[in-house]
Coordinates of all heavy atoms in Angstrom, one line a residue:
E5 N -53.9 -15.6 34.1 CA -54.3 -15.6 35.6 C -54.7 -17.0 35.9 O -55.5 -17.5 35.3 CB -55.4 -14.6 35.9 CG -55.8 -14.7 37.3 CD -57.0 -13.8 37.6 OE1 -57.7 -13.4 36.8 OE2 -57.4 -13.7 38.9
L6 N -54.0 -17.5 37.0 CA -54.5 -18.8 37.6 C -55.2 -18.5 38.8 O -54.7 -18.2 39.9 CB -53.3 -19.7 37.8 CG -52.5 -20.1 36.5 CD1 -51.3 -21.0 36.9 CD2 -53.4 -20.9 35.6
H7 N -56.6 -18.6 38.7 CA -57.5 -18.2 39.8 C -57.3 -19.4 40.9 O -57.1 -20.5 40.6 CB -58.8 -18.1 39.3 CG -59.8 -17.6 40.2 ND1 -60.4 -18.3 41.3 CD2 -60.2 -16.3 40.5 CE1 -61.1 -17.5 42.0 NE2 -61.0 -16.1 41.6
P8 N -57.4 -18.9 42.2 CA -57.2 -19.9 43.2 C -58.1 -21.0 43.1 O -57.8 -22.2 43.6 CB -57.5 -19.1 44.5 CG -57.3 -17.7 44.1 CD -57.6 -17.6 42.7
N9 N -59.3 -20.8 42.6 CA -60.4 -21.9 42.6 C -59.9 -23.0 41.5 O -60.5 -24.1 41.5 CB -61.7 -21.5 42.2 CG -62.3 -20.6 43.4 OD1 -61.8 -20.7 44.6 ND2 -63.2 -19.8 43.1
A10 N -58.9 -22.6 40.6 CA -58.5 -23.6 39.6 C -57.2 -24.3 40.1 O -56.8 -25.2 39.4 CB -58.2 -22.8 38.4
L11 N -56.8 -24.1 41.3 CA -55.6 -24.7 41.9 C -55.9 -26.0 42.2 O -57.0 -26.4 42.7 CB -55.0 -24.0 43.0 CG -54.6 -22.5 42.8 CD1 -54.2 -21.9 44.1 CD2 -53.4 -22.5 41.8
P12 N -55.0 -27.0 42.1 CA -55.3 -28.4 42.6 C -55.3 -28.5 44.1 O -54.9 -27.6 44.7 CB -54.1 -29.2 42.1 CG -53.0 -28.2 41.9 CD -53.7 -26.9 41.6
A13 N -56.0 -29.5 44.5 CA -56.1 -29.7 46.0 C -54.6 -29.8 46.6 O -53.7 -30.1 45.9 CB -56.8 -31.0 46.4
S14 N -54.5 -29.3 47.9 CA -53.2 -29.2 48.5 C -52.5 -30.5 48.6 O -51.3 -30.7 48.8 CB -53.3 -28.5 49.9 OG -54.1 -29.3 50.7
T15 N -53.2 -31.7 48.4 CA -52.6 -33.0 48.5 C -52.0 -33.5 47.1 O -51.2 -34.2 47.1 CB -53.6 -34.0 48.9 OG1 -54.6 -34.1 48.0 CG2 -54.1 -33.9 50.4
D16 N -52.4 -32.7 46.1 CA -51.7 -33.0 44.8 C -50.3 -32.6 44.8 O -49.9 -31.6 45.4 CB -52.5 -32.1 43.7 CG -53.9 -32.7 43.5 OD1 -54.2 -33.7 44.0 OD2 -54.6 -32.0 42.7
S17 N -49.4 -33.3 44.0 CA -48.1 -33.1 44.0 C -47.5 -33.1 42.6 O -48.2 -33.9 41.7 CB -47.3 -33.9 45.0 OG -47.3 -35.2 44.7
L18 N -46.3 -32.7 42.4 CA -45.8 -32.9 41.0 C -45.2 -34.4 40.9 O -44.9 -35.0 42.0 CB -44.5 -32.0 41.0 CG -44.9 -30.5 40.6 CD1 -43.6 -29.7 40.7 CD2 -45.7 -30.3 39.4
P19 N -45.1 -35.0 39.7 CA -44.6 -36.3 39.6 C -43.1 -36.3 40.1 O -42.4 -35.2 40.1 CB -44.5 -36.5 38.1 CG -45.7 -35.6 37.5 CD -45.6 -34.4 38.5
G20 N -42.7 -37.5 40.6 CA -41.3 -37.5 41.2 C -40.2 -37.4 40.2 O -39.3 -36.7 40.5
A21 N -40.2 -38.1 39.1 CA -38.9 -38.1 38.2 C -39.3 -37.2 37.0 O -40.5 -37.1 36.5 CB -38.7 -39.6 37.8
V22 N -38.2 -36.8 36.4 CA -38.4 -35.9 35.2 C -39.1 -36.7 34.1 O -39.9 -36.1 33.4 CB -37.0 -35.4 34.6 CG1 -37.1 -34.7 33.4 CG2 -36.3 -34.5 35.8
G23 N -38.8 -37.9 34.0 CA -39.6 -38.7 33.0 C -41.0 -38.9 33.1 O -41.6 -39.3 32.3
E24 N -41.5 -38.6 34.2 CA -42.8 -38.7 34.6 C -43.6 -37.4 34.4 O -44.8 -37.4 34.6 CB -43.1 -39.2 36.1 CG -42.5 -40.5 36.5 CD -42.5 -40.7 37.9 OE1 -43.3 -40.0 38.6 OE2 -41.8 -41.6 38.3
M25 N -42.9 -36.3 34.1 CA -43.4 -35.1 34.0 C -44.4 -35.0 32.7 O -43.9 -35.3 31.6 CB -42.4 -33.9 33.8 CG -43.0 -32.5 33.8 SD -44.0 -32.0 35.2 CE -42.8 -32.0 36.5
P26 N -45.6 -34.5 32.8 CA -46.5 -34.5 31.7 C -46.0 -33.5 30.6 O -45.2 -32.6 30.9 CB -47.8 -34.0 32.2 CG -47.6 -34.2 33.7 CD -46.3 -34.1 34.0
G27 N -46.4 -33.8 29.3 CA -45.9 -32.9 28.2 C -46.9 -32.0 27.7 O -48.1 -31.7 28.4
A28 N -46.9 -31.6 26.5 CA -47.7 -30.5 25.9 C -49.1 -31.0 25.7 O -50.0 -30.2 25.7 CB -47.1 -30.0 24.6
M29 N -49.3 -32.3 25.5 CA -50.6 -32.8 25.3 C -51.5 -33.0 26.5 O -52.6 -33.4 26.5 CB -50.5 -34.1 24.4 CG -49.9 -33.9 23.1 SD -50.6 -32.6 22.1 CE -52.2 -33.3 21.8
D30 N -50.8 -33.0 27.6 CA -51.5 -33.2 29.0 C -52.3 -31.9 29.4 O -51.9 -30.8 29.1 CB -50.5 -33.7 30.1 CG -49.9 -34.9 29.6 OD1 -50.6 -35.9 29.3 OD2 -48.6 -35.1 29.8
E31 N -53.2 -32.2 30.2 CA -53.9 -31.1 30.9 C -53.2 -30.6 32.0 O -52.2 -31.1 32.4 CB -55.4 -31.7 31.3 CG -56.2 -32.1 30.2 CD -56.5 -30.9 29.2 OE1 -56.7 -29.8 29.6 OE2 -56.4 -31.2 27.9
G32 N -53.7 -29.6 32.7 CA -53.2 -29.1 34.0 C -52.0 -28.2 33.6 O -51.8 -27.7 32.4
W33 N -51.2 -27.9 34.7 CA -50.2 -26.7 34.6 C -49.1 -27.1 33.6 O -48.7 -26.3 32.8 CB -49.7 -26.4 36.0 CG -50.7 -25.9 36.9 CD1 -51.9 -25.4 36.6 CD2 -50.4 -25.8 38.3 NE1 -52.4 -24.8 37.8 CE2 -51.5 -25.1 38.8 CE3 -49.4 -26.0 39.1 CZ2 -51.7 -24.8 40.1 CZ3 -49.5 -25.7 40.4 CH2 -50.6 -25.0 41.0
A34 N -48.7 -28.4 33.7 CA -47.5 -28.7 32.8 C -47.9 -28.6 31.4 O -47.2 -28.0 30.5 CB -47.2 -30.2 33.1
G35 N -49.1 -29.0 31.0 CA -49.6 -28.9 29.5 C -49.7 -27.3 29.1 O -49.3 -26.9 28.0
F36 N -50.3 -26.6 30.1 CA -50.4 -25.2 29.9 C -49.0 -24.5 29.5 O -48.9 -23.7 28.6 CB -51.0 -24.4 31.1 CG -50.8 -22.9 31.1 CD1 -51.6 -22.2 30.2 CD2 -49.8 -22.5 31.8 CE1 -51.4 -20.8 30.1 CE2 -49.7 -21.0 31.8 CZ -50.4 -20.2 31.0
F37 N -48.1 -24.8 30.4 CA -46.8 -24.1 30.2 C -46.1 -24.6 28.8 O -45.5 -23.9 28.2 CB -45.8 -24.5 31.4 CG -46.1 -23.6 32.6 CD1 -46.7 -24.2 33.7 CD2 -45.9 -22.3 32.6 CE1 -46.9 -23.4 34.8 CE2 -46.2 -21.5 33.7 CZ -46.8 -22.0 34.8
H38 N -46.2 -26.0 28.4 CA -45.6 -26.4 27.2 C -46.4 -25.7 26.0 O -45.7 -25.3 25.1 CB -45.9 -27.9 27.1 CG -44.7 -28.7 27.8 ND1 -44.9 -29.1 29.2 CD2 -43.6 -29.1 27.5 CE1 -43.8 -29.7 29.5 NE2 -43.0 -29.7 28.5
R39 N -47.6 -25.4 26.1 CA -48.4 -24.8 25.0 C -48.0 -23.4 25.0 O -47.8 -22.8 23.9 CB -49.9 -25.0 25.1 CG -50.3 -26.5 24.8 CD -51.9 -26.7 24.8 NE -52.4 -26.4 26.2 CZ -52.5 -27.4 27.1 NH1 -52.1 -28.6 26.9 NH2 -53.2 -27.1 28.3
A40 N -47.9 -22.7 26.2 CA -47.5 -21.3 26.2 C -46.1 -21.1 25.6 O -45.9 -20.2 24.9 CB -47.6 -20.8 27.6
H41 N -45.3 -22.1 25.9 CA -43.9 -22.0 25.4 C -43.9 -22.0 23.8 O -43.1 -21.3 23.2 CB -43.0 -23.0 26.0 CG -41.5 -22.9 25.6 ND1 -41.0 -23.4 24.5 CD2 -40.5 -22.3 26.3 CE1 -39.6 -23.1 24.5 NE2 -39.4 -22.4 25.6
R42 N -44.7 -22.9 23.3 CA -44.8 -23.0 21.8 C -45.3 -21.7 21.1 O -44.9 -21.3 20.0 CB -45.7 -24.1 21.4 CG -45.0 -25.5 21.3 CD -45.7 -26.5 20.6 NE -47.2 -26.3 20.6 CZ -48.1 -27.0 21.2 NH1 -47.7 -28.0 22.1 NH2 -49.4 -26.7 21.1
L43 N -46.2 -21.0 21.9 CA -46.6 -19.7 21.4 C -45.8 -18.6 21.4 O -46.0 -17.6 20.5 CB -47.9 -19.5 22.1 CG -49.1 -20.3 21.9 CD1 -50.3 -19.9 22.9 CD2 -49.7 -20.2 20.5
L44 N -44.9 -18.5 22.3 CA -44.1 -17.3 22.5 C -42.9 -17.4 21.6 O -42.2 -18.4 21.4 CB -43.6 -17.2 23.9 CG -44.7 -16.9 24.9 CD1 -44.1 -17.1 26.4 CD2 -45.1 -15.4 24.8
P45 N -42.4 -16.3 21.2 CA -41.2 -16.1 20.4 C -40.0 -16.2 21.3 O -40.1 -16.3 22.5 CB -41.3 -14.7 19.7 CG -42.1 -14.0 20.7 CD -43.1 -15.0 21.2
A46 N -38.7 -16.2 20.6 CA -37.5 -16.4 21.4 C -37.4 -15.3 22.6 O -36.9 -15.8 23.6 CB -36.4 -16.5 20.6
D47 N -37.9 -14.2 22.4 CA -37.6 -13.1 23.4 C -39.0 -12.9 24.2 O -39.3 -12.0 24.8 CB -37.2 -11.9 22.8 CG -38.2 -11.3 21.8 OD1 -39.1 -12.1 21.3 OD2 -37.9 -10.2 21.4
G48 N -39.9 -14.0 24.2 CA -41.2 -13.8 24.7 C -41.3 -13.9 26.2 O -40.3 -14.5 26.9
L49 N -42.2 -13.3 26.8 CA -42.4 -13.2 28.3 C -43.8 -13.8 28.6 O -44.7 -13.5 27.9 CB -42.3 -11.8 28.9 CG -41.0 -11.1 28.8 CD1 -41.1 -9.6 29.3 CD2 -40.0 -11.9 29.6

Side-chain angles (χ1 to χ4, degrees):
E5 178 187 10
L6 295 181
H7 194 275
N9 292 342
L11 300 176
S14 59
T15 57
D16 291 352
S17 61
L18 291 173
V22 174
E24 299 172 18
M25 185 58 68
M29 297 307 292
D30 293 315
E31 295 301 319
W33 294 350
F36 163 76
F37 283 112
H38 279 90
R39 288 187 295 275
H41 190 273
R42 275 199 332 259
L43 292 172
L44 287 170
D47 59 349
L49 291 176

